[in-house]
Amino acid sequence: MECLPNATSQIVVYVNGKEVIERQPDPETTLLYFLRNKLHLTGSKLGCGEGGCGACTVMVSSYNREEDVIRHVAVNACLTPLCSVAGMAITTVEGIGSTRTSLHPVQERIAKAHGSQCGFCTPGFVMSMYTLLRNNPTPSEEEIEAAFEGNLCRCTGYRSILEGYKTFAKGCCKKGKTCCQNEQNTDNEQGSPQLFDASEFTPLDPSQEPIFPPALQV
Ligand code: FES
Ligand code: FES
């Protein structure tokens, strides 16, 4: 068990591809506190602090030696003890893209679909969707809805978030075609305007995602 209170204990985690060593970790430190207060990665938000809102969602990746597979799981960092992710790779919203470099398609689509207002919930939605896509680049619409069961938004009413993200679903936004979500929501009886133009979206390219740190597979 890591996190023993002695002078030699330390844990190693990889955060957004970089090795981080925490010496004498406090067993009560949460992953969220560590990310925000020690690494100053403040993209993951502290909302409820008790696993109810999903604003703190990050992706935790680990290597299963017996099955020789890498697993990606979306977790509530506010409930996750830092010590429980020793030897694992953490990806936060800062690790997938930014306005300073380039946005990841998951970030771009929630923005262009008007799925972010105050923005407090957005990093959590982004990381839930990103984790789903890392495990399955062509999810069904039902799988996308299920991925957000732990994310709350008090501003948008969810429609724009879901419609933006359902463009990742099987059969949607194929090259040269209009997105099926757009088709459903354009020129309806009430004459509501379409929320976005799916042809502007950057395609998802799973081959461009960061690799799992090789050091954690040894
Ligand atoms: S801060 Fe609300 S689930 Fe973590
Ligand atoms: S955009 Fe404000 S809580 Fe979701």
Side-chain angles (χ1 to χ4, degrees), residues 20-47:
V20 179
I21 298 173
E22 177 71 351
R23 301 187 200 287
Q24 294 182 268
D26 181 346
E28 294 189 355
T29 297
T30 65
L31 177 58
L32 184 62
Y33 181 89
F34 182 70
L35 292 171
R36 289 181 56 84
N37 299 83
K38 293 211 163 180
L39 303 185
H40 306 296
L41 294 170
T42 53
S44 311
K45 302 293 183 245
L46 173 59

mmCIF file with all atom_site columns, all heavy atoms in Angstrom, residues 20-47:
data_model
loop_
_atom_site.group_PDB
_atom_site.id
_atom_site.type_symbol
_atom_site.label_atom_id
_atom_site.label_alt_id
_atom_site.label_comp_id
_atom_site.label_asym_id
_atom_site.label_entity_id
_atom_site.label_seq_id
_atom_site.pdbx_PDB_ins_code
_atom_site.Cartn_x
_atom_site.Cartn_y
_atom_site.Cartn_z
_atom_site.occupancy
_atom_site.B_iso_or_equiv
_atom_site.pdbx_formal_charge
_atom_site.auth_seq_id
_atom_site.auth_comp_id
_atom_site.auth_asym_id
_atom_site.auth_atom_id
_atom_site.pdbx_PDB_model_num
ATOM 1   N N   . VAL A 1 20 ? 5.186   12.737 -12.455 1.00 0.00 ? 20 VAL A N   1
ATOM 2   C CA  . VAL A 1 20 ? 5.119   13.549 -11.232 1.00 0.00 ? 20 VAL A CA  1
ATOM 3   C C   . VAL A 1 20 ? 5.379   12.625 -10.047 1.00 0.00 ? 20 VAL A C   1
ATOM 4   O O   . VAL A 1 20 ? 4.730   11.582 -9.912  1.00 0.00 ? 20 VAL A O   1
ATOM 5   C CB  . VAL A 1 20 ? 3.725   14.208 -11.069 1.00 0.00 ? 20 VAL A CB  1
ATOM 6   C CG1 . VAL A 1 20 ? 3.676   15.026 -9.789  1.00 0.00 ? 20 VAL A CG1 1
ATOM 7   C CG2 . VAL A 1 20 ? 3.389   15.068 -12.275 1.00 0.00 ? 20 VAL A CG2 1
ATOM 8   N N   . ILE A 1 21 ? 6.351   13.015 -9.230  1.00 0.00 ? 21 ILE A N   1
ATOM 9   C CA  . ILE A 1 21 ? 6.658   12.228 -8.036  1.00 0.00 ? 21 ILE A CA  1
ATOM 10  C C   . ILE A 1 21 ? 6.192   13.008 -6.819  1.00 0.00 ? 21 ILE A C   1
ATOM 11  O O   . ILE A 1 21 ? 6.535   14.181 -6.659  1.00 0.00 ? 21 ILE A O   1
ATOM 12  C CB  . ILE A 1 21 ? 8.173   11.957 -7.929  1.00 0.00 ? 21 ILE A CB  1
ATOM 13  C CG1 . ILE A 1 21 ? 8.633   11.133 -9.138  1.00 0.00 ? 21 ILE A CG1 1
ATOM 14  C CG2 . ILE A 1 21 ? 8.504   11.228 -6.627  1.00 0.00 ? 21 ILE A CG2 1
ATOM 15  C CD1 . ILE A 1 21 ? 10.123  10.947 -9.225  1.00 0.00 ? 21 ILE A CD1 1
ATOM 16  N N   . GLU A 1 22 ? 5.383   12.390 -6.011  1.00 0.00 ? 22 GLU A N   1
ATOM 17  C CA  . GLU A 1 22 ? 4.908   13.030 -4.779  1.00 0.00 ? 22 GLU A CA  1
ATOM 18  C C   . GLU A 1 22 ? 5.516   12.283 -3.598  1.00 0.00 ? 22 GLU A C   1
ATOM 19  O O   . GLU A 1 22 ? 5.249   11.103 -3.393  1.00 0.00 ? 22 GLU A O   1
ATOM 20  C CB  . GLU A 1 22 ? 3.369   12.990 -4.727  1.00 0.00 ? 22 GLU A CB  1
ATOM 21  C CG  . GLU A 1 22 ? 2.767   13.556 -3.462  1.00 0.00 ? 22 GLU A CG  1
ATOM 22  C CD  . GLU A 1 22 ? 2.887   15.086 -3.336  1.00 0.00 ? 22 GLU A CD  1
ATOM 23  O OE1 . GLU A 1 22 ? 3.598   15.710 -4.147  1.00 0.00 ? 22 GLU A OE1 1
ATOM 24  O OE2 . GLU A 1 22 ? 2.281   15.636 -2.414  1.00 0.00 ? 22 GLU A OE2 1
ATOM 25  N N   . ARG A 1 23 ? 6.356   12.987 -2.864  1.00 0.00 ? 23 ARG A N   1
ATOM 26  C CA  . ARG A 1 23 ? 7.014   12.345 -1.721  1.00 0.00 ? 23 ARG A CA  1
ATOM 27  C C   . ARG A 1 23 ? 6.153   12.502 -0.479  1.00 0.00 ? 23 ARG A C   1
ATOM 28  O O   . ARG A 1 23 ? 5.526   13.518 -0.280  1.00 0.00 ? 23 ARG A O   1
ATOM 29  C CB  . ARG A 1 23 ? 8.392   12.967 -1.489  1.00 0.00 ? 23 ARG A CB  1
ATOM 30  C CG  . ARG A 1 23 ? 9.278   12.821 -2.712  1.00 0.00 ? 23 ARG A CG  1
ATOM 31  C CD  . ARG A 1 23 ? 10.703  13.276 -2.494  1.00 0.00 ? 23 ARG A CD  1
ATOM 32  N NE  . ARG A 1 23 ? 11.344  13.562 -3.770  1.00 0.00 ? 23 ARG A NE  1
ATOM 33  C CZ  . ARG A 1 23 ? 11.728  12.635 -4.649  1.00 0.00 ? 23 ARG A CZ  1
ATOM 34  N NH1 . ARG A 1 23 ? 11.565  11.363 -4.376  1.00 0.00 ? 23 ARG A NH1 1
ATOM 35  N NH2 . ARG A 1 23 ? 12.266  12.976 -5.799  1.00 0.00 ? 23 ARG A NH2 1
ATOM 36  N N   . GLN A 1 24 ? 6.144   11.491 0.315   1.00 0.00 ? 24 GLN A N   1
ATOM 37  C CA  . GLN A 1 24 ? 5.352   11.451 1.549   1.00 0.00 ? 24 GLN A CA  1
ATOM 38  C C   . GLN A 1 24 ? 3.927   11.971 1.313   1.00 0.00 ? 24 GLN A C   1
ATOM 39  O O   . GLN A 1 24 ? 3.511   12.969 1.922   1.00 0.00 ? 24 GLN A O   1
ATOM 40  C CB  . GLN A 1 24 ? 6.035   12.269 2.647   1.00 0.00 ? 24 GLN A CB  1
ATOM 41  C CG  . GLN A 1 24 ? 7.356   11.654 3.078   1.00 0.00 ? 24 GLN A CG  1
ATOM 42  C CD  . GLN A 1 24 ? 7.994   12.431 4.199   1.00 0.00 ? 24 GLN A CD  1
ATOM 43  O OE1 . GLN A 1 24 ? 8.802   13.325 3.973   1.00 0.00 ? 24 GLN A OE1 1
ATOM 44  N NE2 . GLN A 1 24 ? 7.596   12.111 5.403   1.00 0.00 ? 24 GLN A NE2 1
ATOM 45  N N   . PRO A 1 25 ? 3.221   11.345 0.429   1.00 0.00 ? 25 PRO A N   1
ATOM 46  C CA  . PRO A 1 25 ? 1.857   11.833 0.133   1.00 0.00 ? 25 PRO A CA  1
ATOM 47  C C   . PRO A 1 25 ? 0.928   11.667 1.335   1.00 0.00 ? 25 PRO A C   1
ATOM 48  O O   . PRO A 1 25 ? 1.026   10.690 2.075   1.00 0.00 ? 25 PRO A O   1
ATOM 49  C CB  . PRO A 1 25 ? 1.424   10.935 -1.025  1.00 0.00 ? 25 PRO A CB  1
ATOM 50  C CG  . PRO A 1 25 ? 2.255   9.712  -0.894  1.00 0.00 ? 25 PRO A CG  1
ATOM 51  C CD  . PRO A 1 25 ? 3.565   10.135 -0.317  1.00 0.00 ? 25 PRO A CD  1
ATOM 52  N N   . ASP A 1 26 ? 0.072   12.636 1.483   1.00 0.00 ? 26 ASP A N   1
ATOM 53  C CA  . ASP A 1 26 ? -0.925  12.579 2.558   1.00 0.00 ? 26 ASP A CA  1
ATOM 54  C C   . ASP A 1 26 ? -2.048  11.645 2.108   1.00 0.00 ? 26 ASP A C   1
ATOM 55  O O   . ASP A 1 26 ? -2.652  11.865 1.052   1.00 0.00 ? 26 ASP A O   1
ATOM 56  C CB  . ASP A 1 26 ? -1.464  13.998 2.784   1.00 0.00 ? 26 ASP A CB  1
ATOM 57  C CG  . ASP A 1 26 ? -2.498  14.038 3.900   1.00 0.00 ? 26 ASP A CG  1
ATOM 58  O OD1 . ASP A 1 26 ? -2.982  12.957 4.316   1.00 0.00 ? 26 ASP A OD1 1
ATOM 59  O OD2 . ASP A 1 26 ? -2.830  15.153 4.341   1.00 0.00 ? 26 ASP A OD2 1
ATOM 60  N N   . PRO A 1 27 ? -2.347  10.612 2.884   1.00 0.00 ? 27 PRO A N   1
ATOM 61  C CA  . PRO A 1 27 ? -3.412  9.674  2.470   1.00 0.00 ? 27 PRO A CA  1
ATOM 62  C C   . PRO A 1 27 ? -4.771  10.347 2.292   1.00 0.00 ? 27 PRO A C   1
ATOM 63  O O   . PRO A 1 27 ? -5.642  9.807  1.629   1.00 0.00 ? 27 PRO A O   1
ATOM 64  C CB  . PRO A 1 27 ? -3.458  8.666  3.630   1.00 0.00 ? 27 PRO A CB  1
ATOM 65  C CG  . PRO A 1 27 ? -2.132  8.787  4.291   1.00 0.00 ? 27 PRO A CG  1
ATOM 66  C CD  . PRO A 1 27 ? -1.695  10.208 4.124   1.00 0.00 ? 27 PRO A CD  1
ATOM 67  N N   . GLU A 1 28 ? -4.946  11.544 2.863   1.00 0.00 ? 28 GLU A N   1
ATOM 68  C CA  . GLU A 1 28 ? -6.246  12.213 2.741   1.00 0.00 ? 28 GLU A CA  1
ATOM 69  C C   . GLU A 1 28 ? -6.311  13.159 1.543   1.00 0.00 ? 28 GLU A C   1
ATOM 70  O O   . GLU A 1 28 ? -7.357  13.757 1.287   1.00 0.00 ? 28 GLU A O   1
ATOM 71  C CB  . GLU A 1 28 ? -6.559  12.970 4.033   1.00 0.00 ? 28 GLU A CB  1
ATOM 72  C CG  . GLU A 1 28 ? -6.763  12.020 5.208   1.00 0.00 ? 28 GLU A CG  1
ATOM 73  C CD  . GLU A 1 28 ? -7.277  12.721 6.435   1.00 0.00 ? 28 GLU A CD  1
ATOM 74  O OE1 . GLU A 1 28 ? -7.397  13.970 6.406   1.00 0.00 ? 28 GLU A OE1 1
ATOM 75  O OE2 . GLU A 1 28 ? -7.543  12.038 7.427   1.00 0.00 ? 28 GLU A OE2 1
ATOM 76  N N   . THR A 1 29 ? -5.223  13.314 0.840   1.00 0.00 ? 29 THR A N   1
ATOM 77  C CA  . THR A 1 29 ? -5.239  14.220 -0.321  1.00 0.00 ? 29 THR A CA  1
ATOM 78  C C   . THR A 1 29 ? -6.035  13.599 -1.461  1.00 0.00 ? 29 THR A C   1
ATOM 79  O O   . THR A 1 29 ? -5.799  12.450 -1.846  1.00 0.00 ? 29 THR A O   1
ATOM 80  C CB  . THR A 1 29 ? -3.802  14.508 -0.811  1.00 0.00 ? 29 THR A CB  1
ATOM 81  O OG1 . THR A 1 29 ? -3.108  15.172 0.233   1.00 0.00 ? 29 THR A OG1 1
ATOM 82  C CG2 . THR A 1 29 ? -3.797  15.380 -2.053  1.00 0.00 ? 29 THR A CG2 1
ATOM 83  N N   . THR A 1 30 ? -6.952  14.381 -2.012  1.00 0.00 ? 30 THR A N   1
ATOM 84  C CA  . THR A 1 30 ? -7.702  13.884 -3.176  1.00 0.00 ? 30 THR A CA  1
ATOM 85  C C   . THR A 1 30 ? -6.942  14.230 -4.446  1.00 0.00 ? 30 THR A C   1
ATOM 86  O O   . THR A 1 30 ? -6.107  15.151 -4.483  1.00 0.00 ? 30 THR A O   1
ATOM 87  C CB  . THR A 1 30 ? -9.100  14.519 -3.259  1.00 0.00 ? 30 THR A CB  1
ATOM 88  O OG1 . THR A 1 30 ? -8.958  15.920 -3.484  1.00 0.00 ? 30 THR A OG1 1
ATOM 89  C CG2 . THR A 1 30 ? -9.918  14.259 -2.011  1.00 0.00 ? 30 THR A CG2 1
ATOM 90  N N   . LEU A 1 31 ? -7.278  13.496 -5.499  1.00 0.00 ? 31 LEU A N   1
ATOM 91  C CA  . LEU A 1 31 ? -6.655  13.778 -6.799  1.00 0.00 ? 31 LEU A CA  1
ATOM 92  C C   . LEU A 1 31 ? -6.977  15.205 -7.239  1.00 0.00 ? 31 LEU A C   1
ATOM 93  O O   . LEU A 1 31 ? -6.127  15.908 -7.782  1.00 0.00 ? 31 LEU A O   1
ATOM 94  C CB  . LEU A 1 31 ? -7.166  12.754 -7.821  1.00 0.00 ? 31 LEU A CB  1
ATOM 95  C CG  . LEU A 1 31 ? -6.694  12.933 -9.259  1.00 0.00 ? 31 LEU A CG  1
ATOM 96  C CD1 . LEU A 1 31 ? -5.174  12.905 -9.356  1.00 0.00 ? 31 LEU A CD1 1
ATOM 97  C CD2 . LEU A 1 31 ? -7.317  11.856 -10.145 1.00 0.00 ? 31 LEU A CD2 1
ATOM 98  N N   . LEU A 1 32 ? -8.200  15.659 -6.973  1.00 0.00 ? 32 LEU A N   1
ATOM 99  C CA  . LEU A 1 32 ? -8.578  17.009 -7.399  1.00 0.00 ? 32 LEU A CA  1
ATOM 100 C C   . LEU A 1 32 ? -7.746  18.066 -6.674  1.00 0.00 ? 32 LEU A C   1
ATOM 101 O O   . LEU A 1 32 ? -7.259  19.020 -7.283  1.00 0.00 ? 32 LEU A O   1
ATOM 102 C CB  . LEU A 1 32 ? -10.072 17.252 -7.149  1.00 0.00 ? 32 LEU A CB  1
ATOM 103 C CG  . LEU A 1 32 ? -10.586 18.603 -7.646  1.00 0.00 ? 32 LEU A CG  1
ATOM 104 C CD1 . LEU A 1 32 ? -10.434 18.733 -9.159  1.00 0.00 ? 32 LEU A CD1 1
ATOM 105 C CD2 . LEU A 1 32 ? -12.030 18.835 -7.237  1.00 0.00 ? 32 LEU A CD2 1
ATOM 106 N N   . TYR A 1 33 ? -7.575  17.893 -5.373  1.00 0.00 ? 33 TYR A N   1
ATOM 107 C CA  . TYR A 1 33 ? -6.768  18.863 -4.611  1.00 0.00 ? 33 TYR A CA  1
ATOM 108 C C   . TYR A 1 33 ? -5.345  18.880 -5.157  1.00 0.00 ? 33 TYR A C   1
ATOM 109 O O   . TYR A 1 33 ? -4.742  19.939 -5.340  1.00 0.00 ? 33 TYR A O   1
ATOM 110 C CB  . TYR A 1 33 ? -6.771  18.486 -3.126  1.00 0.00 ? 33 TYR A CB  1
ATOM 111 C CG  . TYR A 1 33 ? -5.991  19.459 -2.284  1.00 0.00 ? 33 TYR A CG  1
ATOM 112 C CD1 . TYR A 1 33 ? -6.602  20.584 -1.731  1.00 0.00 ? 33 TYR A CD1 1
ATOM 113 C CD2 . TYR A 1 33 ? -4.614  19.288 -2.079  1.00 0.00 ? 33 TYR A CD2 1
ATOM 114 C CE1 . TYR A 1 33 ? -5.873  21.503 -0.989  1.00 0.00 ? 33 TYR A CE1 1
ATOM 115 C CE2 . TYR A 1 33 ? -3.880  20.200 -1.345  1.00 0.00 ? 33 TYR A CE2 1
ATOM 116 C CZ  . TYR A 1 33 ? -4.515  21.295 -0.804  1.00 0.00 ? 33 TYR A CZ  1
ATOM 117 O OH  . TYR A 1 33 ? -3.788  22.209 -0.080  1.00 0.00 ? 33 TYR A OH  1
ATOM 118 N N   . PHE A 1 34 ? -4.811  17.705 -5.423  1.00 0.00 ? 34 PHE A N   1
ATOM 119 C CA  . PHE A 1 34 ? -3.444  17.598 -5.932  1.00 0.00 ? 34 PHE A CA  1
ATOM 120 C C   . PHE A 1 34 ? -3.314  18.312 -7.284  1.00 0.00 ? 34 PHE A C   1
ATOM 121 O O   . PHE A 1 34 ? -2.376  19.077 -7.513  1.00 0.00 ? 34 PHE A O   1
ATOM 122 C CB  . PHE A 1 34 ? -3.100  16.110 -6.065  1.00 0.00 ? 34 PHE A CB  1
ATOM 123 C CG  . PHE A 1 34 ? -1.709  15.835 -6.536  1.00 0.00 ? 34 PHE A CG  1
ATOM 124 C CD1 . PHE A 1 34 ? -0.619  16.093 -5.714  1.00 0.00 ? 34 PHE A CD1 1
ATOM 125 C CD2 . PHE A 1 34 ? -1.475  15.311 -7.796  1.00 0.00 ? 34 PHE A CD2 1
ATOM 126 C CE1 . PHE A 1 34 ? 0.677   15.838 -6.148  1.00 0.00 ? 34 PHE A CE1 1
ATOM 127 C CE2 . PHE A 1 34 ? -0.191  15.046 -8.223  1.00 0.00 ? 34 PHE A CE2 1
ATOM 128 C CZ  . PHE A 1 34 ? 0.889   15.311 -7.399  1.00 0.00 ? 34 PHE A CZ  1
ATOM 129 N N   . LEU A 1 35 ? -4.252  18.071 -8.171  1.00 0.00 ? 35 LEU A N   1
ATOM 130 C CA  . LEU A 1 35 ? -4.192  18.694 -9.503  1.00 0.00 ? 35 LEU A CA  1
ATOM 131 C C   . LEU A 1 35 ? -4.304  20.217 -9.410  1.00 0.00 ? 35 LEU A C   1
ATOM 132 O O   . LEU A 1 35 ? -3.514  20.953 -10.015 1.00 0.00 ? 35 LEU A O   1
ATOM 133 C CB  . LEU A 1 35 ? -5.326  18.167 -10.390 1.00 0.00 ? 35 LEU A CB  1
ATOM 134 C CG  . LEU A 1 35 ? -5.247  16.692 -10.802 1.00 0.00 ? 35 LEU A CG  1
ATOM 135 C CD1 . LEU A 1 35 ? -6.545  16.270 -11.489 1.00 0.00 ? 35 LEU A CD1 1
ATOM 136 C CD2 . LEU A 1 35 ? -4.054  16.445 -11.715 1.00 0.00 ? 35 LEU A CD2 1
ATOM 137 N N   . ARG A 1 36 ? -5.255  20.672 -8.630  1.00 0.00 ? 36 ARG A N   1
ATOM 138 C CA  . ARG A 1 36 ? -5.528  22.106 -8.603  1.00 0.00 ? 36 ARG A CA  1
ATOM 139 C C   . ARG A 1 36 ? -4.527  22.879 -7.742  1.00 0.00 ? 36 ARG A C   1
ATOM 140 O O   . ARG A 1 36 ? -4.063  23.955 -8.133  1.00 0.00 ? 36 ARG A O   1
ATOM 141 C CB  . ARG A 1 36 ? -6.959  22.369 -8.084  1.00 0.00 ? 36 ARG A CB  1
ATOM 142 C CG  . ARG A 1 36 ? -8.054  21.955 -9.059  1.00 0.00 ? 36 ARG A CG  1
ATOM 143 C CD  . ARG A 1 36 ? -9.444  22.267 -8.494  1.00 0.00 ? 36 ARG A CD  1
ATOM 144 N NE  . ARG A 1 36 ? -9.585  23.668 -8.148  1.00 0.00 ? 36 ARG A NE  1
ATOM 145 C CZ  . ARG A 1 36 ? -9.914  24.625 -9.009  1.00 0.00 ? 36 ARG A CZ  1
ATOM 146 N NH1 . ARG A 1 36 ? -10.175 24.323 -10.278 1.00 0.00 ? 36 ARG A NH1 1
ATOM 147 N NH2 . ARG A 1 36 ? -10.003 25.879 -8.614  1.00 0.00 ? 36 ARG A NH2 1
ATOM 148 N N   . ASN A 1 37 ? -4.205  22.344 -6.558  1.00 0.00 ? 37 ASN A N   1
ATOM 149 C CA  . ASN A 1 37 ? -3.419  23.123 -5.606  1.00 0.00 ? 37 ASN A CA  1
ATOM 150 C C   . ASN A 1 37 ? -1.924  22.845 -5.665  1.00 0.00 ? 37 ASN A C   1
ATOM 151 O O   . ASN A 1 37 ? -1.132  23.709 -5.295  1.00 0.00 ? 37 ASN A O   1
ATOM 152 C CB  . ASN A 1 37 ? -3.939  22.889 -4.186  1.00 0.00 ? 37 ASN A CB  1
ATOM 153 C CG  . ASN A 1 37 ? -5.385  23.328 -4.051  1.00 0.00 ? 37 ASN A CG  1
ATOM 154 O OD1 . ASN A 1 37 ? -6.299  22.593 -4.387  1.00 0.00 ? 37 ASN A OD1 1
ATOM 155 N ND2 . ASN A 1 37 ? -5.596  24.546 -3.601  1.00 0.00 ? 37 ASN A ND2 1
ATOM 156 N N   . LYS A 1 38 ? -1.549  21.660 -6.117  1.00 0.00 ? 38 LYS A N   1
ATOM 157 C CA  . LYS A 1 38 ? -0.109  21.373 -6.184  1.00 0.00 ? 38 LYS A CA  1
ATOM 158 C C   . LYS A 1 38 ? 0.430   21.504 -7.602  1.00 0.00 ? 38 LYS A C   1
ATOM 159 O O   . LYS A 1 38 ? 1.526   21.985 -7.804  1.00 0.00 ? 38 LYS A O   1
ATOM 160 C CB  . LYS A 1 38 ? 0.163   19.982 -5.637  1.00 0.00 ? 38 LYS A CB  1
ATOM 161 C CG  . LYS A 1 38 ? -0.113  19.888 -4.142  1.00 0.00 ? 38 LYS A CG  1
ATOM 162 C CD  . LYS A 1 38 ? 0.801   18.887 -3.473  1.00 0.00 ? 38 LYS A CD  1
ATOM 163 C CE  . LYS A 1 38 ? 0.794   19.109 -1.972  1.00 0.00 ? 38 LYS A CE  1
ATOM 164 N NZ  . LYS A 1 38 ? 1.661   18.155 -1.277  1.00 0.00 ? 38 LYS A NZ  1
ATOM 165 N N   . LEU A 1 39 ? -0.336  21.062 -8.585  1.00 0.00 ? 39 LEU A N   1
ATOM 166 C CA  . LEU A 1 39 ? 0.135   21.159 -9.970  1.00 0.00 ? 39 LEU A CA  1
ATOM 167 C C   . LEU A 1 39 ? -0.426  22.390 -10.679 1.00 0.00 ? 39 LEU A C   1
ATOM 168 O O   . LEU A 1 39 ? -0.056  22.680 -11.810 1.00 0.00 ? 39 LEU A O   1
ATOM 169 C CB  . LEU A 1 39 ? -0.241  19.893 -10.748 1.00 0.00 ? 39 LEU A CB  1
ATOM 170 C CG  . LEU A 1 39 ? 0.263   18.562 -10.161 1.00 0.00 ? 39 LEU A CG  1
ATOM 171 C CD1 . LEU A 1 39 ? -0.065  17.409 -11.101 1.00 0.00 ? 39 LEU A CD1 1
ATOM 172 C CD2 . LEU A 1 39 ? 1.761   18.602 -9.886  1.00 0.00 ? 39 LEU A CD2 1
ATOM 173 N N   . HIS A 1 40 ? -1.346  23.084 -10.032 1.00 0.00 ? 40 HIS A N   1
ATOM 174 C CA  . HIS A 1 40 ? -1.961  24.302 -10.579 1.00 0.00 ? 40 HIS A CA  1
ATOM 175 C C   . HIS A 1 40 ? -2.657  24.051 -11.912 1.00 0.00 ? 40 HIS A C   1
ATOM 176 O O   . HIS A 1 40 ? -2.662  24.903 -12.803 1.00 0.00 ? 40 HIS A O   1
ATOM 177 C CB  . HIS A 1 40 ? -0.914  25.423 -10.706 1.00 0.00 ? 40 HIS A CB  1
ATOM 178 C CG  . HIS A 1 40 ? -0.208  25.671 -9.404  1.00 0.00 ? 40 HIS A CG  1
ATOM 179 N ND1 . HIS A 1 40 ? -0.855  26.139 -8.282  1.00 0.00 ? 40 HIS A ND1 1
ATOM 180 C CD2 . HIS A 1 40 ? 1.073   25.446 -9.040  1.00 0.00 ? 40 HIS A CD2 1
ATOM 181 C CE1 . HIS A 1 40 ? -0.010  26.206 -7.281  1.00 0.00 ? 40 HIS A CE1 1
ATOM 182 N NE2 . HIS A 1 40 ? 1.180   25.786 -7.710  1.00 0.00 ? 40 HIS A NE2 1
ATOM 183 N N   . LEU A 1 41 ? -3.218  22.850 -12.037 1.00 0.00 ? 41 LEU A N   1
ATOM 184 C CA  . LEU A 1 41 ? -4.065  22.530 -13.190 1.00 0.00 ? 41 LEU A CA  1
ATOM 185 C C   . LEU A 1 41 ? -5.510  22.772 -12.758 1.00 0.00 ? 41 LEU A C   1
ATOM 186 O O   . LEU A 1 41 ? -6.164  21.907 -12.167 1.00 0.00 ? 41 LEU A O   1
ATOM 187 C CB  . LEU A 1 41 ? -3.848  21.071 -13.606 1.00 0.00 ? 41 LEU A CB  1
ATOM 188 C CG  . LEU A 1 41 ? -2.449  20.755 -14.151 1.00 0.00 ? 41 LEU A CG  1
ATOM 189 C CD1 . LEU A 1 41 ? -2.254  19.250 -14.316 1.00 0.00 ? 41 LEU A CD1 1
ATOM 190 C CD2 . LEU A 1 41 ? -2.213  21.470 -15.469 1.00 0.00 ? 41 LEU A CD2 1
ATOM 191 N N   . THR A 1 42 ? -5.983  23.961 -13.011 1.00 0.00 ? 42 THR A N   1
ATOM 192 C CA  . THR A 1 42 ? -7.271  24.373 -12.461 1.00 0.00 ? 42 THR A CA  1
ATOM 193 C C   . THR A 1 42 ? -8.436  24.181 -13.429 1.00 0.00 ? 42 THR A C   1
ATOM 194 O O   . THR A 1 42 ? -9.529  24.684 -13.190 1.00 0.00 ? 42 THR A O   1
ATOM 195 C CB  . THR A 1 42 ? -7.208  25.857 -12.020 1.00 0.00 ? 42 THR A CB  1
ATOM 196 O OG1 . THR A 1 42 ? -6.735  26.622 -13.131 1.00 0.00 ? 42 THR A OG1 1
ATOM 197 C CG2 . THR A 1 42 ? -6.265  26.039 -10.847 1.00 0.00 ? 42 THR A CG2 1
ATOM 198 N N   . GLY A 1 43 ? -8.180  23.461 -14.535 1.00 0.00 ? 43 GLY A N   1
ATOM 199 C CA  . GLY A 1 43 ? -9.274  23.185 -15.469 1.00 0.00 ? 43 GLY A CA  1
ATOM 200 C C   . GLY A 1 43 ? -10.343 22.317 -14.831 1.00 0.00 ? 43 GLY A C   1
ATOM 201 O O   . GLY A 1 43 ? -11.544 22.540 -15.021 1.00 0.00 ? 43 GLY A O   1
ATOM 202 N N   . SER A 1 44 ? -9.941  21.325 -14.073 1.00 0.00 ? 44 SER A N   1
ATOM 203 C CA  . SER A 1 44 ? -10.907 20.466 -13.369 1.00 0.00 ? 44 SER A CA  1
ATOM 204 C C   . SER A 1 44 ? -11.478 21.273 -12.206 1.00 0.00 ? 44 SER A C   1
ATOM 205 O O   . SER A 1 44 ? -10.726 21.823 -11.411 1.00 0.00 ? 44 SER A O   1
ATOM 206 C CB  . SER A 1 44 ? -10.213 19.209 -12.834 1.00 0.00 ? 44 SER A CB  1
ATOM 207 O OG  . SER A 1 44 ? -9.441  18.610 -13.845 1.00 0.00 ? 44 SER A OG  1
ATOM 208 N N   . LYS A 1 45 ? -12.789 21.326 -12.123 1.00 0.00 ? 45 LYS A N   1
ATOM 209 C CA  . LYS A 1 45 ? -13.427 22.224 -11.156 1.00 0.00 ? 45 LYS A CA  1
ATOM 210 C C   . LYS A 1 45 ? -13.896 21.500 -9.901  1.00 0.00 ? 45 LYS A C   1
ATOM 211 O O   . LYS A 1 45 ? -14.255 20.318 -9.947  1.00 0.00 ? 45 LYS A O   1
ATOM 212 C CB  . LYS A 1 45 ? -14.642 22.913 -11.804 1.00 0.00 ? 45 LYS A CB  1
ATOM 213 C CG  . LYS A 1 45 ? -14.307 23.702 -13.039 1.00 0.00 ? 45 LYS A CG  1
ATOM 214 C CD  . LYS A 1 45 ? -13.443 24.912 -12.699 1.00 0.00 ? 45 LYS A CD  1
ATOM 215 C CE  . LYS A 1 45 ? -13.144 25.764 -13.906 1.00 0.00 ? 45 LYS A CE  1
ATOM 216 N NZ  . LYS A 1 45 ? -11.723 25.791 -14.247 1.00 0.00 ? 45 LYS A NZ  1
ATOM 217 N N   . LEU A 1 46 ? -13.931 22.245 -8.811  1.00 0.00 ? 46 LEU A N   1
ATOM 218 C CA  . LEU A 1 46 ? -14.521 21.752 -7.567  1.00 0.00 ? 46 LEU A CA  1
ATOM 219 C C   . LEU A 1 46 ? -15.931 22.312 -7.476  1.00 0.00 ? 46 LEU A C   1
ATOM 220 O O   . LEU A 1 46 ? -16.115 23.507 -7.246  1.00 0.00 ? 46 LEU A O   1
ATOM 221 C CB  . LEU A 1 46 ? -13.693 22.193 -6.355  1.00 0.00 ? 46 LEU A CB  1
ATOM 222 C CG  . LEU A 1 46 ? -14.305 21.867 -4.990  1.00 0.00 ? 46 LEU A CG  1
ATOM 223 C CD1 . LEU A 1 46 ? -14.520 20.360 -4.826  1.00 0.00 ? 46 LEU A CD1 1
ATOM 224 C CD2 . LEU A 1 46 ? -13.428 22.392 -3.863  1.00 0.00 ? 46 LEU A CD2 1
ATOM 225 N N   . GLY A 1 47 ? -16.915 21.452 -7.739  1.00 0.00 ? 47 GLY A N   1
ATOM 226 C CA  . GLY A 1 47 ? -18.313 21.879 -7.638  1.00 0.00 ? 47 GLY A CA  1
ATOM 227 C C   . GLY A 1 47 ? -18.882 21.440 -6.305  1.00 0.00 ? 47 GLY A C   1
ATOM 228 O O   . GLY A 1 47 ? -18.867 22.168 -5.324  1.00 0.00 ? 47 GLY A O   1
#
